């Protein structure tokens, strides 16, 4: 499985290969430089520069007060960040790994997400919570969770996740600039993905709440985000090249999970008439359920087949040696596409797709 | 190479690097709660007047009398269905009032659900303070304007907020302290621990006042902690701990004033335990007879914070019937005004449910708002149609 | 809105009115009596008998060790319960209110749900986590959350929620007897709902993982659970009585949200061809998304209309004086039923249902 | 009625009910870490032999030498790609080994990710212990059988488990203690606080050993706490605190043995801080030069736990070349066996992913298992088809 995201090809000469990690770091740097209210805090973000080195050099450039190593306590980090925001600062906190954000869950759900609402807008929470998430890097237990379902189900939060180098910069700047709290999910295994990119003149990208069609296609839409975007792009290429059927797959990168960009997604699905949602997070009660349900509500009469889902299994994230079996890969995506009832009329018995047990057809 | 051949000199003790640490002794709280009221009377008899400032005593007295009346009035409002719930601070008025009065205008207060009185004593509009408990909105007053954070119901979660705010103020160079209130039960939560630790490491200008009222709902202190006192928890954070008689308004005021002064001047946080007692049930919905004996309550009534202050004023010759009447009348006026205003039905706007979730409503929220608006319009129409008795099937009134 | 659930009518003479709270208490009592490994623990569960009095009398009957007041710390409660389960006990813990389970989230997600899996079955977690949930009782902020989406998205947990007196007893006994951790969601506003019931001979009810058709109907299926079951039954009656269309609505009470009883639900939807999922929890990324998506996958060619959802708004739970506007009531359910495309052919422009913006029809 | 007329007698001090509390003094840890090695040599020179038991010294020595070698071997295995990651306990071997040896067979150990060595020293199969870090499964040994809980990565979350287990054992009347290990960083987590408090209130037979190795990844102790010592945190729970030189295996063993004995006999929990140092980086993936100076590391090398023990044995005349050689050979054998076994490729079964999520797989999991089974079969077929070179498009090997 590829971890490289297709990036818009370079045009200007000052574009050099940059990693997602570098673009994120640059976004933090520029935000710190542009706005004295921005403060970065978290475990090991200072002297060490973060375990993924995303905050590397920030403490040196802006001082330990602007990029602060905290004691080791996630509720404390989020809770003190709430207080800092109450005083007019714009905290950017780092949770070291997905599963290590859980100790701060109460602060996130009971305060960060609700403070604006309960105070009728008098205490907004312009806070960014950066969380490296997802698997594929051989992490041991508790280091590869896809926890987005929890954040999606929490009104008052925005949930944003980039898949490209340009988006990493643009969306992180937008998140920090947002007057609402943003859970900013960074796909771990894309930290080292590269694209040509100019840090001095970063590409303008659409803002929070906007999905983007990464690849045009006519046969079916793959709806995806974060770490599964490169997988879907690869699947689309494979379908084009190898597929006996010659499917021309459209790939939508959601970029923001909440609020959900219904218009872009629905427009694509209306055009193609078929859709598969792809994500790493477990399928049951995962983001795909919401997306499939919502798109079906909006596009029911355009659908030639039910919206299918390719997701992580409904299991705790596997140990490193078994993770490849869990992660949605190109083959699994293409299998799902194959089950989108391409023959005219209904074929019963498809695995996991349309009904396989009892009951009649149409 | 065997271990015998390992290089390096032999160090009998760990290198000094292990110990960036302070002395424990100055952190330890007093063995008995610090008291002013009563205790100094004897002292003063023999010599000069060293007791607390008369003006402060009078201010505390007036506030405590008002506070007692406020608690009574709010409890009465629950019986009249005007409050969804009220957690009375009867018996704890000295803590509440002293906390409010110890603050400077630029300081922040972080109250819990039981600390309405502290907010009121700070000068906030009582009706706005009661919003959460009345049920018209989650929070009723202007927090940045009043420098009082919202009343907090998830226990101890307000403590890290106070630390973060205090830290931010310090970073900005402002001379601002944050005073956070929490109950004895709340000290068991992880957030208490994390807040104290952050405050200590950052030397944030935050003061923590634990109102130890003996119970967390039904659970007595002995099932909550085995510590010598809650103030002793300070030692584990490298923060000074103070133990104070929470029914002694002057003592609480003095200890808090000192702690807040130190905080503002860069001396770091303080943990204060005020020993007090909740004279009423946890809330009007609770039945305290299920878990505590009348005798205990009676014993505490004999140590009533209002009586303690009053007696001091009397002994000092600062209390005549005139002063008493004035305080009581002021309390009565406040109560009457509260009663009257709380008997007006608030008209919260259902459409506001969508207004503050985000800075801008999302497309989804706009859709949902439209749905509710349509429903409300239909309801309104149905009610209007019912009124002229034109449609017998549509409304109760015409049946 | 009614809070009384229709119960099977009494047959024997020893059936007397009992509340859900009483049935739950009896289940705890009988479990404690039958199995010395069962231990109840939580805040105020001992002397006070719990703030909802569900544990009333248990400490008196079984001693403070079997029904223990803990210090006030939810992670501590769940975490120590993990240790107790490791030693062979069968802890039943009470979280005082929905939102006050959040401080224990890490223990629940990172340990309770995964312990069996990570230890290859050697350390099962036979633990029941009772959580009073939902609104409608005039609770102030943080006292009325519908948090089921969080638990559904956590592999390794069962999520169970009764709506009737008989189920309260039967499902709680099943939860305590289960060798897997069960998040047992008790609909707060049904605590005082009543039915004729015999504590000495409690009705046998289907086990965990089984949904039940509470009302037979042919026009459409209302899929619901917990506090919304009485609402849907009332809506079904109203549709029968008042509806110009004379809809005959089927009502499925899920009883268990995870694992989801696809068979019962799909069988119903295949029969009726239309479905609405009803719950209090916010709609976005709530249980309804999963249910709608799953049912659509399974029953696509039986559906005359997209599966619609009636849910709480995507907002923090409202203050007491406004909660009635948030809670799905009979009218809102019937509105959704009306939008199930009853005219043959597709009608565009329906509010919130099938697509209302742009795009063509079939 | 004015407040002046309130009934009840005046009580100058709060009623006694407020104070179900203990004395603070016996809870305070020593001012300097407790030490045995080295310090008693002088004492012994003048008089009778009062030092630690020779047999214990020899056992600790052999275990520490093995432990050092184990750490080296495991680190080497990361370089060979045989472990996903390894957090070395080099420098902390005395703590690990003393913890294991202080336990009785019926006691439980609750280790963190850094405590593989404690589990190995307890006699567990090293390959099984390394399962988590090798990546073939989350956990490799039989926890109930070995009475060692799984290595825990979410910090401090294992501490309440230890308390619950100890409490359960006590309720059942078993003489069982639980020893939980945590790092200096882990003491900042809320779970540390809640676990200590529950243990104290329940008087659970749990002992907490904080291995203060100076760092939480890159964050030094001074940024983690302002407390006099981590052992001082005990005071806030009403639990005895002990401060011990963590590089002195005998001292750690003695303090833990005493604490475990007290725990088993109903005396309640103890918090022990062992002052030690992590000589290597946080894990093989970490770069410690980014946050600490070589000088500090060198200073600690001079206080190496292996050297300390060795010197004591030498001084006592208990160490000859023979004993050294035996210890080293045993260590080498263990390392060689580990190396060899770890070079065999484990073959975890992908289908096991679905086997243990619940006691019985749900219908959904059965479906998903069927899907994976089909995929694996297809993969297998494709590979088989590729092998006879019959289908040039199907496999890499034939290209
Ligand atoms: C996190 C959390 N858990 C549980 C509750 C429910 N609850 C409300 S008040 C209370 C007792 C609090 O006791 P204490 O901290 O002593 O404060 P007091 O009520 O005595 O002022 C409990 C358990 C809560 N509000 N928040
Ligand atoms: C809840 C949680 N937050 C963050 C982490 C990431 N993390 C792993 S080890 C570590 C440092 C732990 O330091 P310490 O407790 O001193 O133990 P040591 O590694 O020094 O043995 C951190 C932050 C984690 N494992 N769990
Ligand atoms: Mg209390
Ligand atoms: Mg450490």
């Amino acid at each position: 499985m590829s971890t490289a995201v297709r990036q818009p090809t370079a045009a200007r000469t000052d574009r050099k290969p940059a990693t997602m990690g570098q673009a994120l770091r640059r976004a933090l740097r520029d935000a710190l430089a542009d706005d004295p209210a921005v403060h970065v805090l978290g475990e090991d973000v200072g002297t060490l520069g973060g375990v993924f080195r995303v905050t590397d050099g920030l403490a040196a450039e802006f001082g330990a007060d602007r990029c602060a190593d905290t004691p080791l306590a996630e509720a404390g980090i989020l809770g003190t960040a709430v207080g800092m925001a109450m005083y007019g600062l714009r905290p950017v906190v780092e949770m070291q790994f997905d599963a290590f954000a859980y100790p701060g869950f109460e602060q996130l759900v009971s305060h960060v997400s609700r403070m604006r609402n309960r105070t009728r807008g008098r205490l907004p929470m312009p806070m960014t919570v950066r969380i490296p998430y997802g698997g594929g890097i051989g992490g041991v237990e508790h280091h590869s969770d896809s926890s987005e379902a929890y954040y999606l189900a929490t009104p008052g939060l925005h949930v944003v996740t980039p898949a490209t180098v340009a988006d990493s910069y643009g969306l992180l700047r937008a998140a920090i600039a947002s007057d609402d709290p943003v859970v900013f999910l960074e796909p771990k295994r894309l930290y080292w993905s590269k694209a040509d990119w100019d840090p001095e003149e970063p590409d303008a990208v659409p803002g929070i709440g906007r999905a983007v069609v990464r690849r045009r296609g006519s046969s079916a839409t793959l709806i995806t985000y974060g770490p599964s975007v490169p997988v879907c792009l690869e699947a689309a290429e494979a379908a084009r090249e190898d597929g006996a059927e010659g499917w021309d797959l459209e790939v939508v990168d959601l970029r923001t999970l909440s609020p959900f960009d219904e218009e872009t997604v629905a427009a694509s699905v209306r055009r193609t008439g078929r859709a598969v949602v792809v994500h790493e997070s477990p399928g049951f009660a995962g983001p795909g359920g919401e997306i499939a349900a919502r798109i079906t509500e909006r596009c029911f009469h355009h659908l030639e087949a039910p919206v299918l889902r390719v997701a992580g299994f409904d299991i705790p994230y596997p140990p490193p040696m078994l993770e490849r079996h869990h992660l949605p890969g190109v083959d699994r995506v293409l299998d799902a596409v194959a089950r989108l009832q391409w023959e005219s009329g209904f074929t019963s018995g498809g695995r996991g797709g349309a009904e396989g047990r009892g009951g009649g057809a149409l | 190479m065997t271990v015998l051949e390992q290089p390096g000199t032999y160090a009998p003790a760990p290198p000094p690097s292990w110990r960036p640490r302070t002395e424990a002794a100055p952190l330890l709280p007093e063995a008995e709660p610090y008291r002013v009221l009563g205790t100094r009377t004897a002292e003063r008899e023999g010599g000069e007047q060293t007791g607390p400032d008369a003006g402060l005593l009078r201010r505390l007295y007036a506030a405590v009398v008002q506070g007692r009346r406020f608690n009574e009035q709010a409890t009465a409002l629950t019986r009249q269905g005007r409050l969804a719930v009220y957690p009375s601070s009867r018996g704890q008025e000295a803590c509440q009032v002293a906390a409010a009065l110890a603050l400077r205008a630029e300081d922040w207060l972080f109250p819990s659900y039981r600390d309405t009185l502290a907010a009121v004593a700070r000068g906030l509009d009582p009706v706005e303070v009661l919003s959460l408990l009345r049920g018209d909105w989650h929070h009723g007053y202007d927090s940045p304007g009043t420098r009082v954070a919202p009343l907090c119901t998830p226990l101890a979660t307000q403590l890290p907020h106070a630390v973060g705010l205090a830290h931010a103020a310090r970073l900005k160079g402002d001379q601002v302290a944050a005073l956070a209130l929490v109950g004895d039960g709340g000290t068991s939560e992880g957030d208490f621990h994390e807040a104290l630790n952050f405050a200590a490491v950052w030397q944030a200008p935050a003061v923590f006042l634990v109102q130890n009222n003996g119970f967390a709902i039904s659970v007595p202190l002995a099932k909550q902690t085995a510590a010598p006192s809650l103030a002793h928890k300070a030692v584990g954070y490298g923060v000074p701990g103070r133990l104070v008689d929470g029914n002694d308004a002057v003592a609480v005021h003095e200890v808090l004033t000192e702690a807040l002064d130190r905080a503002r001047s860069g001396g770091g946080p303080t943990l204060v335990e005020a020993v007090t007692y909740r004279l009423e049930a946890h809330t009007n919905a609770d039945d305290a007879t299920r878990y505590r004996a009348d005798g205990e309550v009676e014993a505490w009534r004999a140590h009533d914070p209002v009586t303690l202050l009053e007696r001091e004023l009397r002994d000092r010759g600062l209390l005549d019937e005139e002063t008493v009447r004035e305080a009581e009348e002021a309390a009565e006026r406040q109560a009457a005004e509260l009663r009257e205003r709380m008997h007006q039905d608030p008209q919260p706007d259902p459409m506001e449910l969508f207004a503050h979730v985000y800075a801008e409503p999302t497309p989804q929220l706009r859709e949902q708002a439209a749905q509710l608006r349509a429903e409300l319009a239909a309801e309104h129409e149905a009610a209007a149609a019912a009124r002229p008795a034109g449609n017998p099937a549509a409304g109760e009134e015409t049946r």
Side-chain angles (χ1 to χ4, degrees), chain B residues 292-303:
Chain B
R292 70 184 183 187
D294 286 350
E296 183 177 300
V297 183
E298 283 317 310
W300 277 93
R301 275 194 214 285
H303 192 65

Side-chain angles (χ1 to χ4, degrees), chain A residues 43 72-75 77-78 94-105 131-132 140-145 147 151:
Chain A
E43 294 157 7
L72 214 167
E74 293 76 10
I77 296 171
L78 283 168
E94 177 176 302
M95 301 277 107
Q96 203 162 76
F97 281 86
D98 26 55
F100 305 144
Y102 303 154
F105 197 68
I131 310 180
V140 304
E141 219 193 7
H142 305 296
H143 287 73
S144 297
D145 278 20
S147 37
Y151 308 121

Side-chain angles (χ1 to χ4, degrees), chain B residues 183-185 211 213-216:
Chain B
D184 46 312
Q211 287 174 76
N213 62 7
F215 287 89

Side-chain angles (χ1 to χ4, degrees), chain B residues 204-245:
Chain B
V207 176
F208 304 89
L209 174 63
V210 181
Q211 287 174 76
N212 170 9
N213 62 7
F215 287 89
I217 309 186
S218 71
V219 179
L221 188 67
K223 286 192 187 174
Q224 199 66 248
T225 180
S229 81
L230 296 171
H232 278 85
K233 291 186 182 288
V235 179
Y237 307 104
V239 156
R242 297 297 308 272
L243 186 62
V244 60
D245 183 341

Side-chain angles (χ1 to χ4, degrees), chain A residues 106, chain B residues 113-114 153-155 183-186 189 213 215-217 278 282:
Chain A
E106 182 186 31
Chain B
Y113 53 89
R114 197 178 296 289
T153 76
L155 292 165
D184 46 312
E189 290 281 5
N213 62 7
F215 287 89
I217 309 186
R278 196 191 72 206
H282 174 64

Side-chain angles (χ1 to χ4, degrees), chain B residues 38-105:
Chain B
T39 55
R40 298 202 184 167
T41 314
E43 217 175 284
R44 282 196 309 276
E45 270 163 13
E48 357 115 71
Q49 197 74 342
T50 58
D53 173 69
L56 174 67
L57 269 173
R58 286 210 187 86
R59 277 202 307 285
L60 287 170
Y61 172 71
V64 156
V65 169
Q66 277 202 20
R68 172 63 48 91
R69 187 66 190 87
F70 175 82
N71 270 324
E72 285 165 358
Q73 183 56 60
T75 298
L77 286 167
T78 62
R79 285 191 294 266
Q80 294 150 14
R82 291 293 167 179
L83 286 177
V85 65
Y86 184 69
S88 172
S89 61
R90 186 185 182 104
Q92 302 177 224
E93 289 93 345
C95 292
Q96 302 269 318
V97 156
L101 269 60
L103 292 169
R104 292 207 195 139

Side-chain angles (χ1 to χ4, degrees), chain A residues 99-100 102-103 105-106 109-111 113-114 117-118 141-142 145 149-150 152-155 257-258 260 262-263 270 282-286 288-290 292-294 296-309 313-317 341 346 352-355 357-362:
Chain A
F100 305 144
Y102 303 154
F105 197 68
E106 182 186 31
V109 170
S110 293
H111 288 297
S113 74
R114 302 186 198 196
N117 184 64
R118 83 208 277 215
E141 219 193 7
H142 305 296
D145 278 20
Y150 302 135
L152 289 188
T154 306
L257 297 178
S258 176
F260 181 68
E262 276 169 36
E263 270 183 76
R270 281 192 203 111
F284 190 76
E290 177 61 39
R294 192 164 284 265
T296 305
E297 281 171 27
R298 299 296 185 270
C299 312
F300 188 64
H301 293 277
H302 297 267
L303 287 173
E304 306 288 336
V307 178
L308 296 184
R309 294 180 281 166
F313 296 125
D314 298 331
I315 61 174
Y317 195 86
Q341 305 181 6
F346 172 61
E355 125 201 27
R357 299 178 259 169
L362 249 183

